[in-house]
Amino acid sequence: MDKKSFFNQMAEGWDERFYAQEMRERLPQLVSLFQLQKRARILDVGAGTGGIIPYLLEAIGPEGSLWAIDYAEEMVKIGRMKFQKESRVVFELASVENLPYKDQFFDHVVCFGAFPHFEDKKEALEEMGRVLKTGGTLMIAHTLSSVALRSHHQNCGPVSTDFLPEEGEMRSLLGKAGFQVKRLIDEPKRYLCEGEKI
Ligand SMILES: C[S@@+](CC[C@H](N)C(=O)[O-])C[C@H]1O[C@@H](n2cnc3c(N)ncnc32)[C@H](O)[C@@H]1O
């Protein structure tokens, strides 16, 4: 089975499986580290069913706006349904390699639980950088350390070899894509790599 089919198949029941109480309790603290501006325009890449979106909306406030993209149709279907009454949210079917937005459109790009799955990480970073304003920030985040994430994925069929790059490689990838790495936190139950577009 290819990766996209795997995620499509996982869409139903995703929230029940991955957004248990413990995860929901950890998200406000993780999102507070993103330092999102009130009234910001943000993009959630690889948004799945939008599990982190309520926390992002809380951070950007009533005048912020949020676009969410995912390449798996079933994820987007559920995401659209969940946020149909939320005027600040637009859910779209798109790939990270080809984002349907103009250059420098967003203040922040958030990539939560998705970066290891991108086939071409260089291309993904360049494309996320293209749609970010200069000085805008990219947050690559997980609620696990890179080591814990590696074992979490190990028995997951088509994503079993999807890992976060080692720290040196991550810094080099971001640098080549036009980001300055502001923070790289990799500790139990938390991973955050923040890049500022220069
Ligand atoms: C592990 S899930 C995380 C979903 C969501 N961010 C969450 O934490 O609940 C990874 C998501 O990335 C999406 N994805 C993987 N590769 C992608 C790509 N190249 N472009 C867009 N989305 C992608 C998958 O369809 C899946 O929904």
Side-chain angles (χ1 to χ4, degrees):
M1 187 192 297
D2 67 23
K3 228 187 271 191
K4 196 202 277 194
S5 309
F6 171 78
F7 283 117
N8 271 321
Q9 209 176 67
M10 297 282 280
E12 203 181 317
W14 184 268
D15 289 355
E16 291 72 21
R17 266 197 300 274
F18 294 106
Y19 284 83
Q21 180 78 8
E22 198 208 343
M23 171 77 143
R24 291 201 306 271
E25 281 169 9
R26 271 195 254 159
L27 282 176
Q29 211 238 343
L30 183 70
V31 170
S32 75
L33 292 177
F34 297 174
Q35 298 171 336
L36 303 174
Q37 300 156 30
K38 288 281 174 207
R39 295 185 292 281
R41 184 187 284 169
I42 69 178
L43 176 65
D44 181 4
V45 173
T49 58
I52 200 174
I53 289 179
Y55 307 90
L56 299 176
L57 290 176
E58 177 75 28
I60 60 178
E63 293 169 63
S65 45
L66 187 150
W67 277 254
I69 68 104
D70 201 286
Y71 76 167
E73 295 84 354
E74 297 304 317
M75 290 284 192
V76 172
K77 214 186 275 177
I78 294 173
R80 279 191 177 140
M81 240 153 43
K82 280 169 58 181
F83 297 98
Q84 61 186 333
K85 293 202 174 115
E86 176 50 78
S87 61
R88 289 173 291 170
V89 175
V90 180
F91 235 103
E92 299 193 288
L93 185 67
S95 292
V96 65
E97 300 84 5
N98 190 14
L99 296 170
Y101 310 106
K102 57 183 186 191
D103 297 358
Q104 309 232 11
F105 191 63
F106 294 101
D107 299 298
H108 307 284
V109 173
V110 171
C111 186
F112 174 59
F115 191 73
H117 305 302
F118 301 155
E119 289 302 318
D120 187 334
K121 294 184 171 45
K122 176 176 175 286
E123 199 183 355
L125 284 167
E126 284 170 358
E127 187 61 354
M128 292 189 284
R130 180 186 67 75
V131 299
L132 253 182
K133 293 176 186 170
T134 302
T137 56
L138 166 67
M139 302 290 162
I140 295 171
H142 295 267
T143 48
L144 293 173
S145 68
S146 61
V147 170
L149 193 70
R150 189 176 276 260
S151 51
H152 170 72
H153 283 161
Q154 231 153 32
N155 298 314
C156 293
V159 301
S160 60
T161 56
D162 290 358
F163 306 133
L164 280 163
E166 301 283 342
E167 177 171 350
E169 170 69 2
M170 195 69 176
R171 287 182 182 278
S172 156
L173 277 167
L174 265 91
K176 285 183 190 148
F179 291 95
Q180 183 183 0
V181 177
K182 304 290 279 186
R183 281 181 292 177
L184 204 157
I185 302 166
D186 189 0
E187 54 191 36
K189 303 197 170 176
R190 190 159 65 163
Y191 181 93
L192 175 67
C193 178
E194 174 185 355
E196 180 179 314
K197 183 178 168 180
I198 47 181

